[in-house]
Structures are given as structure tokens and as C-alpha cells.
Amino acid sequence: MCIFCDIIKGKLPCDKVYEDENYFAFKDIRPKAPVHILIVPKKHIEKVADIDGENKNVIGDMVVVANRIAKDLDIDKSGYRLVINNGPDAGQEVYHLHLHLMGGKRMIFAA
Ligand code: 5GP
Ligand code: ZN
């Protein structure tokens, strides 16, 4: 039972912006910026704290996908923020690893 796994499998609807063999990206349902995309691995990993020597490539791969989407959506020059929340104090709401890509406005607040 994981809503992002269901989105990836097409069991739940989403606004998809990217898909390849191992990664999937879609618009955040409650956007905090004009561009707010979530990049997820298709393989279920709960959180960034579960990244280790075996699966550390996932982080780099998600950044590559985010950079590509940023170019496609024309926010590569204006800039963007990449965020991963881990656990309760960071406000992680969905326990399927995801990278937030946010841009399209000035975000002058502390990380
Ligand atoms: P977190 O707080 O876990 O880092 O971020 C979870 C994000 O997923 C939130 O920004 C939230 O708006 C988004 N989200 C939660 N449920 C859904 C959903 O069913 N569809 C989409 N597209 N986004 C969702
Ligand atoms: Zn999942």
C-alpha cells in the first residue's frame, strides 16, 4: 500500500511529466511553486535514510532526471530548488523516496 507505487503503476491518476525504465515524475498535487514536480524511483525505497552503498546511484539518477525536466520546462536558467524530506521533523508525508523539483518563482526562504 503506497500511493506513489499506485501512481507509477497507473492505478491512481497523475499529471505525468517524465518516465523511463527506472524513474517516474509527475506534478505535485498541492504545488508550492509554479513548477513543482516529484521525481521518484519505480523501485519502492521508503526514504533517503535507506540510501546506502548498494543503491546510492538512485540519488544521482533522480538529479539527472530533475535537471532534464528543468530544462524542458525552461527553468534551468532562472533556477530551481531540489528537496528531499526525510522523516517526521522534515515533514515527510509520503514514504516512497521522492525528489521535489520546485521553480518558476523566487524562493527566498531558508531550506
Ligand atoms: P513530502 O512531504 O513527503 O516530502 O512530499 C509529499 C508530496 O506529495 C507533497 O508535496 C504532496 O502535495 C504530494 N502528494 C501527496 N499525495 C499526492 C497524490 O496523490 N498525487 C500527487 N500528484 N501528489 C501528492
Ligand atoms: Zn511505493
Side-chain angles (χ1 to χ4, degrees):
M1 264 298 291
C2 166
I3 54 168
F4 286 0
C5 280
D6 283 348
I7 285 174
I8 292 161
K9 289 176 191 146
K11 291 183 188 168
L12 283 176
C14 76
D15 276 329
K16 182 169 93 173
V17 296
Y18 177 86
E19 180 172 13
D20 65 26
E21 194 186 343
N22 297 311
Y23 297 92
F24 195 92
F26 52 99
K27 291 185 184 174
D28 195 294
I29 206 166
R30 281 178 267 119
K32 292 173 187 69
V35 173
H36 189 168
I37 308 291
L38 303 173
I39 296 104
V40 301
K42 288 186 174 177
K43 178 180 154 65
H44 182 91
I45 298 170
E46 274 197 3
K47 55 193 186 301
V48 75
D50 298 325
I51 293 292
D52 57 23
E54 296 292 305
N55 60 12
K56 64 185 181 195
N57 66 298
V58 170
I59 298 300
D61 289 348
M62 289 197 301
V63 170
V64 170
V65 171
N67 290 343
R68 177 179 167 162
I69 294 169
K71 272 203 182 75
D72 288 347
L73 299 180
D74 208 26
I75 57 165
D76 53 320
K77 301 285 190 299
S78 49
Y80 46 95
R81 179 169 286 178
L82 301 178
V83 172
I84 299 176
N85 295 316
N86 185 84
D89 276 0
Q92 185 174 0
E93 174 192 331
V94 179
Y95 280 78
H96 180 128
L97 178 63
H98 51 281
L99 179 65
H100 294 258
L101 163 64
M102 289 175 282
K105 72 166 186 182
R106 279 283 167 114
M107 291 171 285
I108 311 295
F109 52 84

